[in-house]
Amino acid sequence: MILTVTLNAALDLTYRVPHLVPHASHRVREVSERPGGKGLNVARVLAALGFETAVTGFAGGETGRVLRSLLAADAAPGPPNGPARVTDALVPVSGRTRRTVGVVDESSGDTTQLNEPGPHVTPEEWETFLTAYRELLDGGVRAVALCGSLPPGVPVGAYATLVREARTAQTPVLLDTSGEPLRRGLAARPDIVKPNAEELAGITGTEEPLRAARAAQRRGAHAVAASLGADGMLLVTQDGAWSAAVPERLAGNPTGAGDSAVAGLLSGLAEGLPWPDRLARAVALSAATVRSPVAGEFDEPTYATMLPSVRVRRSEAP
């Protein structure tokens, strides 16, 4: 089983409108709601790829109840050749799970995102989570992803703590966060970190992606996979550096594309694939997610087409 951690889980609401106009009233054409937060998006993509997955983090209040009821539907056994299950291992909190609202402008395909801050987590709730996390690691997890922002009350060094716990359990760990939590998490030596170019520049002080990735390695990461938006992804490891991109830019909704890239890297890590193959899978899944209307899903025909056409090239050190 693969474990994803979403400390600041969310109930994702997506509104679709014909044309988004500031300061105007709109009639919503379509509404969808689903479990959200980066790690939950990663888990759904992993499940679609056939990997049994567990999700943990915090859930509370009426929003948390709705989120967990939607997860329960994902956890129900499907057809033999269908998606794998997503197991709910979320830890209850007294606060209310946040909502995120995405407004899709159908005329342009652009999405406007509104993100609530999340519930306040008490020290006692954090300790309860740590106990549950250790128990999950002891249950034979193949790999773990630590994803997203920290809710109020959670220590800024939380991800560093969780990386160390995974390493103690000899479980490969991927970290996908930003700012000070990423800076501190690097020092705990995660197997992979997956920032975007802006996040990488923010913690290293350099905007050249390859130099910045090397700097992040020196600070503790074994490997750095940097999302470069439409230009694909850069991967720097102890065995070498590669860049990859799809042969054509795809129009659509980029929300969740980075989460699908994490699923590609994590599944490749769990399977022990060579680094270039992990990178190709991550880039193809990311591109296929742009063609999907919501985060946590990817367009399977696009993925099947893109995977063999991803260009993976060796990168020279600057």
Side-chain angles (χ1 to χ4, degrees):
M1 179 176 287
I2 296 177
L3 176 65
T4 71
V5 176
T6 312
L7 296 177
N8 209 6
L11 181 65
D12 280 353
L13 304 175
T14 302
Y15 297 152
R16 302 185 71 86
V17 299
H19 185 60
L20 183 62
V21 181
H23 316 298
S25 178
H26 297 78
R27 289 191 179 276
V28 177
R29 188 189 301 274
E30 180 184 334
V31 180
S32 65
E33 62 179 12
R34 61 184 52 232
K38 294 179 72 65
L40 275 76
N41 293 337
V42 172
R44 285 202 303 277
V45 173
L46 286 169
L49 292 171
F51 292 87
E52 294 286 335
T53 309
V55 295
T56 191
F58 298 109
E62 178 61 20
T63 313
R65 185 195 65 77
V66 173
L67 184 153
R68 300 188 81 164
S69 69
L70 294 170
L71 270 180
D74 288 341
N81 296 322
R85 291 182 299 175
V86 177
T87 300
D88 177 359
L90 294 166
V91 174
V93 289
S94 57
R96 179 178 61 81
T97 295
R98 67 185 179 130
R99 295 164 297 182
T100 64
V101 179
V103 183
V104 179
D105 183 334
E106 294 180 332
S107 66
S108 66
D110 293 335
T111 300
T112 299
Q113 195 77 15
L114 304 172
N115 298 328
E116 295 181 354
H120 181 85
V121 176
T122 68
E124 293 77 16
E125 289 167 338
W126 172 241
E127 288 300 323
T128 298
F129 169 79
L130 283 177
T131 299
Y133 177 69
R134 294 181 185 114
E135 291 174 352
L136 287 164
L137 291 175
D138 290 341
V141 170
R142 297 169 64 187
V144 58
L146 310 174
C147 304
S149 61
L150 301 179
V154 171
V156 70
Y159 282 133
T161 298
L162 300 185
V163 169
R164 293 188 190 101
E165 293 287 349
R167 293 187 61 79
T168 297
Q170 298 185 329
T171 303
V173 57
L174 182 152
L175 177 60
D176 181 16
T177 188
S178 60
E180 190 62 21
L182 174 58
R183 191 188 310 275
R184 297 197 185 195
L186 279 175
R189 301 188 62 78
D191 293 273
I192 308 175
V193 295
K194 207 287 303 169
N196 60 35
E198 182 179 352
E199 292 163 348
L200 190 58
I203 63 167
T204 63
T206 179
E207 295 187 358
E208 201 289 314
L210 190 53
R211 290 184 185 276
R214 295 289 191 199
Q217 268 194 310
R218 290 192 293 272
R219 297 184 185 199
H222 289 276
V224 180
S227 295
L228 304 179
D231 293 326
M233 179 172 283
L234 171 70
L235 175 65
V236 177
T237 78
Q238 295 172 336
D239 299 324
W242 296 267
S243 62
V246 294
E248 60 182 285
R249 297 193 178 190
L250 301 178
N253 179 13
T255 304
D259 303 332
S260 291
V262 168
L265 292 167
L266 197 65
S267 60
L269 176 65
E271 291 180 322
L273 295 181
W275 283 111
D277 292 347
R278 301 182 201 181
L279 179 60
R281 181 183 289 181
V283 170
L285 280 171
S286 181
T289 299
V290 172
R291 301 301 296 268
S292 174
V294 293
E297 296 182 2
F298 62 94
D299 183 76
E300 294 188 15
T302 300
Y303 174 61
T305 300
M306 287 296 169
L307 182 58
S309 66
V310 171
R311 303 187 302 268
V312 180
R313 299 186 175 124
R314 277 273 187 180
S315 294
E316 299 296 328

